[in-house]
Amino acid sequence: MGFSRNPSFVMEPLEASSPMLNKKTTTPFHDNTPQASPKPYKKGIVATLMEAATPSFKEDNYVVSLLKSSEKKTLQELKDKILESSSTSSSSDNGGSSEVPSMWGIPLINGDDKADVILLKFLRARDFRVGDALNMLLKCLTWRKEFGADTLLEEDLGFKELEGVIAYMQGYDREGHPVCYNAYGMFKDKDMYERIFGDEEKLKKFLRWRVQVLERGIKLLHFKPGGVNSLIQVTDLKDMPKRELRVASNQILSLFQDNYPEMVARKIFINVPWYFTMLYSMFSPFLTQRTKSKFVISKEGSAAETLYKFIRPEDIPVQYGGLNRPSDLQNGPPKPASEFTVKGGERVNIQIEGIEAGATITWDIVVGGWDLEYSAEFVPNAEGSYTIAVEKPRKILANQEAIHNSFSSKEAGKMVLSVDNTSSRRKKVAAYRYVVRKCSAM
């Protein structure tokens, strides 16, 4: 560690945002701990960075009383046809007892609000055409029975090496939707590709595993009017082998479209190569406005800036500019973070004051697409004491993950975390969090 004497700190304006960390917050993470200065604003600044450039999808709230009269009538017609179909099916089975069709443990014709949510998804997917919606629903019921979808979560499909890497559920977005991450760059390795997709049987097993991941996410949904009734999908296109995964991608897409209607509120594509943007511009005229409103496309190097708009930093994986590490999941819900922006040509100092002698401060800090200089110093309160360079100034590369560090103070003072973006003109999103543990008396 390095030392300096009589430091002089220049505080640049710090734009910060986190409703969890304003003056009135009393979350366990910051109870009775020193506060960083300047104080974060109540209104989310980062959340508005890309508003103008991103289409806005308005999710159905599934409240029947708010439906148009024609939609209410269509919903009732669908219920009647399901009941009729169920009765016809049971009477043709040698007079067997009637079996009420259900999905995800929810009976579809008992008049329950949860059933209405599911039925409205099928109706919405077919523009409230009853015949088409019924046909889609009956085919889905048949597929779920043949595929064994209801017992899929109990199976061990042997894809431990893919868990948390290829496709996985992690955290929630700012509105409470569970988030599913997809990253297929791992399959650029030919040996890995052959091991997973080498023949038809292997492909079928992978598809089964991929549906299993989706079913885990659906288990987190509320299936109630006004609740969280859909997922967010984040797809990382970095290093994705296009030709090799075409068959698997098409089959996954087909399965999801046919059997999980309106289950995705937003599709976020990150690390998008130039050719994907070109292809999207070609086929987008053929998509409905509703479908296009769900798409968010982010070019390479802008993953953090895009994801911060929809997901809090503490819920975003570290490889995408967030603060969430796999090991964090073992410690319960993620600790809240403060968000701020670092303007081009700006240096930001975050001061965490009121640290007592003997206390230990632990912090995480990240700047999306770093490529700037970072340092951390401890400044004692006592006049004439030396400033301690906890982390000497160093360049943080664009692909580096969040910093996690701690420091135990021998005397009272403050910690100063600095990020220097003076060599860049680009504004960057950033986040930090900290906890101070006081020394317990012996």
Side-chain angles (χ1 to χ4, degrees), residues 43 104 145 204 227:
K43 188 179 188 301
W104 301 293
K145 186 174 182 180
K204 286 181 178 178

Side-chain angles (χ1 to χ4, degrees), residues 93-220:
D93 291 339
N94 301 318
S97 59
S98 176
E99 181 181 346
V100 177
S102 66
M103 285 187 184
W104 301 293
I106 301 170
L108 298 180
I109 52 176
N110 67 351
D112 187 89
D113 285 346
K114 291 187 175 182
D116 288 343
V117 170
I118 295 176
L119 298 182
L120 284 169
K121 285 180 179 293
F122 281 88
L123 284 168
R124 178 72 71 183
R126 290 297 179 263
D127 294 324
F128 282 87
R129 296 189 297 269
V130 177
D132 292 345
L134 177 65
N135 186 47
M136 182 185 189
L137 187 145
L138 293 178
K139 284 184 177 179
C140 178
L141 286 168
T142 300
W143 172 81
R144 290 188 66 82
K145 186 174 182 180
E146 294 175 349
F147 195 80
D150 291 333
T151 58
L152 190 55
L153 292 180
E154 302 167 12
E155 296 183 29
D156 181 0
L157 297 171
F159 285 108
K160 296 298 182 185
E161 61 185 321
L162 305 185
E163 296 285 348
V165 178
I166 299 299
Y168 52 98
M169 301 300 306
Q170 183 169 322
Y172 299 84
D173 77 346
R174 294 178 185 270
E175 297 176 345
H177 299 95
V179 182
C180 180
Y181 290 88
N182 306 275
Y184 297 110
M186 187 177 180
F187 293 124
K188 69 178 180 178
D189 181 276
K190 291 185 178 180
D191 291 338
M192 170 64 75
Y193 177 84
E194 285 298 321
R195 194 157 65 250
I196 304 300
F197 303 109
D199 55 47
E200 190 67 24
E201 280 303 310
K202 290 179 179 179
L203 175 57
K204 286 181 178 178
K205 191 175 181 181
F206 174 81
L207 291 174
R208 191 166 184 79
W209 174 78
R210 185 60 190 83
V211 173
Q212 185 184 62
V213 174
L214 178 59
E215 287 284 335
R216 286 184 197 138
I218 289 176
K219 276 286 187 181
L220 302 173

